[in-house]
Amino acid sequence: MINIPYPKQNILEEFYKIQKVEILKRIKAIKKNKKISIKKKKYRVTKLVIKVLVWLEKDENLKKVLLAKPRGLIAIIKRVENDENFQKAKYQKELLHKILYRIFVDYGYEKINKLEFIQNINLGSCPYCNRNYIFSVNKKASIKPEIDHLYPKSLYPYLACSYFNLIPSCPSCNGFGAKEANDTFYVYPISNPYTIKPIDFQFTITPHNVEFIDNVKEEKYNFDNFEIELYGNKANIKLFKLEELYKQHKDIVLELLIKKAYYPQSYIEELSRFGFSQDEVYRYLFSNYSEDKDLHKRPLSKLIKDISTELGIV
């Protein structure tokens, strides 16, 4: 729903440098032993698996996987899922899947300093829903960062450590009842927040009668006279239950409608004459941000921005 800015190159390089050590260490161990134990069951490492591991050991190849940008992630999935060797035998495919999971999830993703990762991204609210902040508290009463795999690690384990596949998110979007392990490539092709533009998702209101906005003063507590509608990628809207969730925020829209009715344009112009910038006037009126690049800083900023623009308040 909202954009995540691209990181600086030095952040990407440092991320790769750290991940590379753990992943290569595990690859070498698997190649050396020629056997791997997964959930108390031993598997023989086949020639097909060795071939894949040798490919991953090459610096340029591993870097392509870990630092692939959104379009690159799509290209990797298409290449892997359509590769004849990968699909050659059911047993080997399942074995390779398990080994890739062991490498990239158990010994890759689990080693990531998740708090530091999110701090480097400097994101405030969830990019999937823009309703919640991205931190929660764990059982030890410490701050727990939430990170979602855009393409689930259970289906695409080889992308479990890919930087642009790791999306900071809120507990709702990253928890049960929302995205879970649904296939977001073939079944629900959701938008990668790194590629989202402001116009890709738009909120609007639909009054049940044409006089509603003019009669807000008299009907200011009537939530049944309008609906909040959201336009954008249907996969995102369906998977994250965005329409259902945003119906719970009619009070926010109603406040905007009341401000539209009570705040004359002359009042807003008067604030500007005191030397406040348009952005400062906006923050004073709505306690939120107006610039697209700042929408991630607070929850519901996208809803407030779209509806206040539609109403022509500022």
Side-chain angles (χ1 to χ4, degrees), residues 62-88:
L62 185 59
K63 198 167 191 177
K64 283 179 182 177
V65 173
L66 296 185
L67 300 186
K69 292 182 178 180
R71 288 186 178 179
L73 295 175
I74 293 173
I76 289 172
I77 292 176
K78 287 181 177 179
R79 178 179 177 181
V80 171
E81 298 302 316
N82 294 317
D83 184 84
E84 290 184 5
N85 287 326
F86 191 78
Q87 301 292 344
K88 187 177 291 184

Side-chain angles (χ1 to χ4, degrees), residues 47-108:
K47 290 182 179 180
L48 170 62
V49 172
I50 293 293
K51 186 177 181 180
V52 173
L53 297 182
V54 169
W55 186 89
L56 284 170
E57 278 184 308
K58 295 181 180 179
D59 190 70
E60 65 270 25
N61 295 332
L62 185 59
K63 198 167 191 177
K64 283 179 182 177
V65 173
L66 296 185
L67 300 186
K69 292 182 178 180
R71 288 186 178 179
L73 295 175
I74 293 173
I76 289 172
I77 292 176
K78 287 181 177 179
R79 178 179 177 181
V80 171
E81 298 302 316
N82 294 317
D83 184 84
E84 290 184 5
N85 287 326
F86 191 78
Q87 301 292 344
K88 187 177 291 184
K90 185 174 185 292
Y91 168 76
Q92 290 188 339
K93 181 185 175 184
E94 289 179 353
L95 171 61
L96 181 55
H97 186 93
K98 287 181 171 69
I99 290 177
L100 291 175
Y101 193 96
R102 173 61 62 88
I103 293 169
F104 288 99
V105 179
D106 296 339
Y107 291 91

Side-chain angles (χ1 to χ4, degrees), residues 205-213 219 222-229 247 250:
I205 55 172
T206 303
H208 290 175
N209 59 73
V210 294
E211 295 85 15
F212 171 66
I213 294 180
E219 303 184 19
N222 193 337
F223 293 99
D224 298 325
N225 282 351
F226 69 94
E227 298 296 335
I228 300 173
E229 295 187 9
K247 288 182 185 298
K250 282 190 172 184

Side-chain angles (χ1 to χ4, degrees), residues 105-228:
V105 179
D106 296 339
Y107 291 91
Y109 174 70
E110 296 302 334
K111 302 290 185 179
I112 293 175
N113 185 325
K114 297 172 181 61
L115 182 59
E116 182 179 302
F117 178 83
I118 290 182
Q119 288 173 336
N120 284 335
I121 293 178
N122 192 28
L123 194 70
S125 64
C126 176
Y128 288 140
C129 70
N130 188 223
R131 293 180 60 253
N132 304 305
Y133 289 107
I134 57 178
F135 291 98
S136 60
V137 179
N138 63 19
K139 293 180 180 178
K140 297 180 180 179
S142 58
I143 296 296
K144 173 193 174 187
E146 297 279 344
I147 297 179
D148 173 62
H149 288 84
L150 182 84
Y151 301 114
K153 59 182 181 291
S154 59
L155 300 176
Y156 309 101
Y158 44 87
L159 298 180
C161 295
S162 298
Y163 187 96
F164 291 96
N165 193 44
L166 302 176
I167 309 297
S169 61
C170 69
S172 296
C173 291
N174 192 34
F176 294 108
K179 181 172 170 286
E180 297 181 342
N182 284 291
D183 191 338
T184 47
F185 186 78
Y186 291 107
V187 183
Y188 295 100
I190 63 175
S191 303
N192 191 313
Y194 283 99
T195 66
I196 289 176
K197 299 180 178 62
I199 61 171
D200 290 346
F201 291 87
Q202 291 287 311
F203 285 101
T204 186
I205 55 172
T206 303
H208 290 175
N209 59 73
V210 294
E211 295 85 15
F212 171 66
I213 294 180
D214 295 329
N215 297 333
V216 169
K217 293 182 181 179
E218 290 75 22
E219 303 184 19
K220 58 184 178 182
Y221 298 116
N222 193 337
F223 293 99
D224 298 325
N225 282 351
F226 69 94
E227 298 296 335
I228 300 173

Side-chain angles (χ1 to χ4, degrees), residues 271-300:
L271 289 173
S272 299
R273 284 198 292 271
F274 280 105
F276 294 112
S277 67
Q278 185 175 4
D279 185 59
E280 288 171 330
V281 171
Y282 183 95
R283 292 187 64 183
Y284 171 77
L285 292 176
F286 307 117
S287 300
N288 225 307
Y289 295 88
S290 64
E291 297 291 332
D292 291 326
K293 64 181 178 63
D294 296 325
L295 293 182
H296 70 88
K297 292 181 179 179
R298 287 183 186 168
L300 303 177

